Amino acid sequence: KRRMLMGKEDVVKCKGIVRDTYRGTKFRVEICDDKGKPTGHLVLATISGKLRLNYIKILKGDKVEVEMSPYDLTAGRIVWRDK
């Protein structure tokens, strides 16, 4: 069995707005276009390790940056929270 590993270059980065919060540090994020307007595409995202270690709080309405795999555009990881 051969396993395909993804590198850091194989991710899709985009900006979004947190719409809902769930238990277990999961969030529903609506993806925005280049101008900051919401597109309607929703992603279920978790917090990355650096945000978890530094106790960064993410609330409903925050603007975040999300990394997604090109193979599954319905799940992602929040890597940055804008101020």
Side-chain angles (χ1 to χ4, degrees):
K1 220 181 212 188
R2 196 165 170 184
R3 201 171 204 190
M4 188 170 167
L5 297 175
M6 289 182 42
K8 289 187 178 182
E9 304 86 30
D10 298 338
V11 295
V12 177
K13 282 190 178 182
C14 53
K15 298 210 182 266
I17 300 172
V18 176
R19 294 298 180 199
D20 289 320
T21 60
Y22 301 116
R23 291 181 2 185
T25 65
K26 291 191 185 282
F27 302 91
R28 180 69 65 188
V29 178
E30 186 173 9
I31 302 300
C32 297
D33 60 2
D34 296 337
K35 298 175 184 172
K37 290 183 68 177
T39 60
H41 180 73
L42 295 173
V43 173
L44 185 64
T46 59
I47 299 179
S48 71
K50 290 281 187 180
L51 295 178
R52 220 180 273 260
L53 284 175
N54 293 315
Y55 298 106
I56 305 295
K57 301 294 182 206
I58 297 177
L59 302 173
K60 193 173 181 179
D62 283 349
K63 294 181 180 179
V64 294
E65 187 172 322
V66 180
E67 284 184 351
M68 296 178 290
S69 167
Y71 303 109
D72 184 15
L73 297 176
T74 61
R77 179 175 59 208
I78 297 174
V79 294
W80 187 257
R81 181 181 72 93
D82 287 341
K83 295 182 180 180

